[in-house]
Amino acid sequence: MRLDRSVTGFFLALLGIFALAPLAKAQVAPPPVPADDEPELVEFDTAKIRRIAVPALVAPSPADTPAGNSANLGRQIAEVISANLRNSGLFEPLGPAGIRPITLAEVTAPQYDYWKGRNVEQLIEGFVRVGGDGNLTVGCYLYDVNFGQEQARLGFVVAPRDWRRAAHKCSDAIYSKLTGELPFFDSRIAYIAETGPKGKRVKRLAIMDSDGANHRFITNGQSTALTPRFSPNYKSILYLSYQDGNPRIYVYDIDSGRQRLITASKNPTFAPRWSPDGQTILYSMAVAGNTDIYKISAAGGASPVRLTNAPGIDVGGSFSPDGRQIVFESDRGGSQQVYVMGADGSGQRRISMGGGRYATPEWSPRGDLIAYTRIAGDFRVGVMRPDGSGERLLTDSWQDEAPTWAPNGRVIQFFRTERNSGKTSVWQVDLTGRNERKLPTPVDGSDPAWGPVLP
Amino acid sequence: MPMDRAEKIGLGTALGGHALLLGLFALGAFFTADRITKPQPVSVTLEGEVADISTAPDAVQEEPAPAESAAEPAPAEPEPTPVMKVEQPTPKPAPTPLPKVVERPTPKPQPKPTPKPAAKQAAAQPKPKQTSPRPFSKSFEDAVRGSGSGSNPKPTQGTSPKTGTVARKAGTEVRREVNLALGPQIRDKIERCAPSGVDIGAIQTFVTLSLDSGGRLLDVRVDKQTGINDNNKPQAEPLKRCIVQAVRAASPFRGLDPAYHDVWGSHAMRLRATG
Amino acid sequence: MMTNKARTFALLLLASTALAACGKKEVENLPPVADNTPGSTTDTGPTGPGIVPGSQEDFIQSVGQMGDRIFFDTDRFNIDSADQATLQTQAQWLSRYPQARVTVEGHADERGTRDYNLALGERRANAAKNYLASLGVDAARIQTVSYGKERPQALGSNEEAWAQNRRAVTVVIR
């Protein structure tokens, strides 16, 4: 091999560059000086749970109501509050069982020393009164035991049959105060109740309170019902039904029990969703085998607007809380992935960038995260930021799918399918990945969707 | 096979080039060397015992460093600088569901059995003052400012350091030791109220404690919180409250050397959650 | 170490294999009836008691127990050669009974999310319909419906079961 000039020249040029580099040291940053002006660091753990005492609410003049005697209601309200706080995974409530009852005087003048001795950080006290009109007045107070200080108080007048809502409102106020989060206990869940063998499942539309109480079946199971969604004002439910033999989307009016089709089109329609203001409905429709996403006015009458037009399957769709963007799922790139677009269908771009497939994206009501199902062997529920970064998987099971959000964006609900048996159940998990728990339902359940906090 | 002429030239150039390179690097290192800042040389008084660390009269008081303010540079002399602006209010929290008792004298809870407006949702409903006397102030800021204590925080001053006898420890070392003493006492209380949440470990809360020479808390001030993002924003305020509560609850602090009260009488620290 | 020629040949082989897997091909001639109908009966009339000509029972008897359905790979909806043969048999039966109308049901296995599987089932049903139409069956006689993963045939949670559930089934409308 002959040495030629250009090679020599190249090496000399390299030498020149290397020679100059140290002399260009002005650009080189000096090594970081230990931050002498930064205050000393103290680290602490947030994992520990707060102990909070919940004695039965006092009924100063016990009286009977259609929902039972108010003294019993006082205890039941405390039980609901206690269960709510426990189920959030952030508190360790004591009582009402096993702790001493309180007097009415204590409700506004707690015996702090006694509760300090019980080693609790917070104390909830309250009362239940029956008014002349038969309505209940419920008052609840939150106290900081260590500081001997009131932190919150709340009062409600409710019909006796709505006593649970008073308990949920108290729970929400206490929870919000202590965690900083928005409330979510006073809300309802729509889902599909499942029974029957794997090859012949009976699927019924059903609704319940956020803690599983006040459960009610809406459809009778003669035809398969799927993927329900509460309207933001809780007046109606969007859902998919096969009652005429084909997948069709109906708006079911809860009060009247009547329902109507959202579109008269004979094409199959599925995956119905509400906009945050309840004015618009998103749905997916397959034309000649190709599925795209459409939106239509919830009031009916107007023509649908087609939002996607790609050759792949574009399905689902979830509005951002400000109503300006929609996150949806598409396999236009070859596999299921998460895409974001403007509410008018503009600017469609993919945001899921990890390995595997991504499905069922749902925008958090807080706007900060998008929940999804990640399929990579198993099906796992995860969250990512709206730009696709910061992916975190929250569950780890054979098949967890279809996450939806609690109205405060802190808890995620999904359903889990058991391998082989195909049995389904509704589960919740905290955004930190902790406190994964099964929601108690009368039979199997799937497709859970959470409505907003009731006003 | 023996090298031909061309190969010899090539090898020679390569070797020479390497030597030149190495030389230039050495030269470059020499030129950059003096950019590394060294601690200033100080005068050391040797009195029997030899102090093995520099005893420069460091800034006795550090600014608690709110980065935004036009802070004075860290003074090099132990000039008494009243660091605590006693009357400075703690940074006002963003609108929170704190019960501000000032509003609404009507004691009635909601008269309607039908849905309440959502706006009131997160807040407790403020009610009129209770008849029973309360040991603590109504608003949280009052409680934080320790209105019950009555004494003004002492301005720091350089009490005569005992330089005559034992070599004095550096301010940084004292602060580190003080933090090691205070940390567990505060941590124990914080862990009873610290909220959990996504990215909670990203929030750093900067506080300044004012302590008397007995280790009793005179004042605690939250200087700033950093690292707040969309994920952890809900926890910022409860965390701040929790930290302030915890500091108050941990007082009086043990294990503080009165001899260095001039150093730790005002102690700045930052607190952060793990995991 | 391959020569250039061998390399090119291998690439071409690979490419054509890949291409064969996607899309569908026109078929010029239908194979004769007798070759493709296992357990077939003569087409001169009903052989069983009470089987009405042109009915679903007749259809099954004619195309065979598994002749009413085609199968797909995971997330795929293409008609492969096995599918083509099955559909050709169905097309022949349909040409014998021009009054018969069918629904093609599209299904997916349980290893998919619900909405996507509804869309995928619809794709599969339409792929079968389109192929039947290409064989001369009037498209107006063919409806489609997707059941997504709602109606599994095989009930296990394993590859064999899932392969059986990824299907498009042709059913005669009564």
Side-chain angles (χ1 to χ4, degrees), chain A residues 9-56:
Chain A
F10 173 68
F11 276 118
L12 285 174
L14 267 184
L15 282 177
I17 291 166
F18 280 130
L20 286 171
L23 297 177
K25 59 195 182 300
Q27 278 73 28
V28 176
V33 181
D36 201 29
D37 54 353
E38 190 147 59
E40 296 291 337
L41 176 66
V42 170
E43 289 189 303
F44 56 90
D45 192 9
T46 64
K48 301 199 180 122
I49 291 178
R50 277 183 274 188
R51 287 165 59 88
I52 180 165
V54 194

Side-chain angles (χ1 to χ4, degrees), chain A residues 144-158:
Chain A
D144 182 302
V145 168
N146 291 315
F147 264 86
Q149 188 170 7
E150 178 186 309
Q151 291 182 281
R153 64 168 81 176
L154 214 56
F156 293 97
V157 178
V158 293

Side-chain angles (χ1 to χ4, degrees), chain A residues 268-342:
Chain A
T269 51
F270 38 96
R273 309 289 160 86
W274 295 95
S275 63
D277 63 5
Q279 302 297 312
T280 305
I281 292 173
L282 288 181
Y283 64 97
S284 305
M285 183 163 77
V287 178
N290 192 347
T291 301
D292 283 300
I293 301 170
Y294 297 72
K295 68 175 177 180
I296 195 171
S297 160
S303 329
V305 173
R306 182 175 183 168
L307 297 177
T308 67
N309 197 0
I313 290 177
D314 300 318
V315 71
S318 165
F319 275 95
S320 58
D322 64 8
R324 300 233 279 260
Q325 297 187 85
I326 295 171
V327 65
F328 65 100
E329 129 186 24
S330 172
D331 72 355
R332 61 184 68 173
S335 65
Q336 283 168 283
Q337 300 294 333
V338 176
Y339 287 70
V340 172
M341 62 182 170

Side-chain angles (χ1 to χ4, degrees), chain A residues 1-4 8 11-12 14-23 25-26 28 30-31 33 35-51 89-90 107-110 112 116 119-122 127 133 135 137-138 141 143-144 146-159 162 165 168-169 172-174 176-184 186 366-369 383 385-386 392 408 410 430-434 453-455, chain B residues 4 6-7 9-11 13 16-18 20-21 24-25 27-29 31-32 34-37 58 62-65 96-99 109-118 120-130 132 134-140 143 172 175-176 179 182-184 186-187 190-200 204 206-207 230-235 238-239 241 243-246 248-249 267-275:
Chain A
M1 181 174 72
R2 298 196 53 77
L3 189 69
D4 70 357
T8 319
F11 276 118
L12 285 174
L14 267 184
L15 282 177
I17 291 166
F18 280 130
L20 286 171
L23 297 177
K25 59 195 182 300
V28 176
V33 181
D36 201 29
D37 54 353
E38 190 147 59
E40 296 291 337
L41 176 66
V42 170
E43 289 189 303
F44 56 90
D45 192 9
T46 64
K48 301 199 180 122
I49 291 178
R50 277 183 274 188
R51 287 165 59 88
L90 305 177
V107 173
T108 48
Y112 290 113
K116 267 190 215 168
N119 198 23
V120 294
E121 274 92 55
Q122 259 87 28
F127 64 85
D133 56 357
N135 284 330
T137 300
V138 178
Y141 299 72
Y143 295 103
D144 182 302
N146 291 315
F147 264 86
Q149 188 170 7
E150 178 186 309
Q151 291 182 281
R153 64 168 81 176
L154 214 56
F156 293 97
V157 178
V158 293
D162 289 334
R165 287 205 54 207
H168 289 314
K169 283 287 189 243
D172 274 332
I174 292 157
S176 278
K177 178 73 183 182
L178 296 177
T179 66
E181 301 287 357
L182 292 170
F184 75 105
D186 190 22
R366 248 161 55 172
D368 57 339
L369 293 170
V383 292
R385 292 194 209 99
R392 276 188 309 119
N408 68 352
R410 175 74 194 244
D430 185 78
L431 199 51
T432 56
R434 298 204 215 115
V453 170
L454 285 154
Chain B
D4 68 10
E7 285 177 351
I9 293 177
L11 185 60
T13 313
H18 276 80
L20 185 60
L21 253 182
L24 285 167
F25 275 134
L27 214 60
F31 278 128
T32 54
D34 59 356
R35 290 217 163 225
I36 299 171
T37 54
D58 245 328
E62 286 183 348
E63 296 300 319
T96 69
L98 282 175
Q110 302 321 306
K112 300 197 301 287
T114 50
K116 291 170 47 169
K120 287 200 276 232
Q121 192 28 254
Q125 298 317 303
K127 296 292 186 292
K129 275 222 254 277
Q130 297 164 333
S132 53
R134 310 183 54 75
F136 282 81
S137 333
K138 37 189 185 317
S139 87
F140 216 78
T172 46
R175 272 189 294 280
R176 208 167 308 137
N179 207 61
L182 298 185
I186 296 175
R187 181 181 310 124
I190 289 182
E191 288 180 346
R192 306 175 77 174
C193 59
S196 68
V198 180
D199 280 354
I200 189 71
Q204 290 202 97
F206 291 71
V207 298
D230 277 345
N231 287 336
N232 59 32
K233 196 160 47 181
Q235 277 74 48
L239 178 60
R241 286 203 304 268
I243 286 173
V244 167
Q245 268 190 343
R248 286 183 56 83
H267 184 71
M269 57 199 323
R270 58 196 163 100
L271 300 107
R272 180 176 73 198
T274 57

Side-chain angles (χ1 to χ4, degrees), chain B residues 60-63 72 75 77-84 155-158:
Chain B
V60 191
Q61 285 307 324
E62 286 183 348
E63 296 300 319
E72 314 89 278
E77 276 19 85
E79 181 66 29
T81 46
V83 194
M84 290 146 310
T156 59
Q157 30 95 349

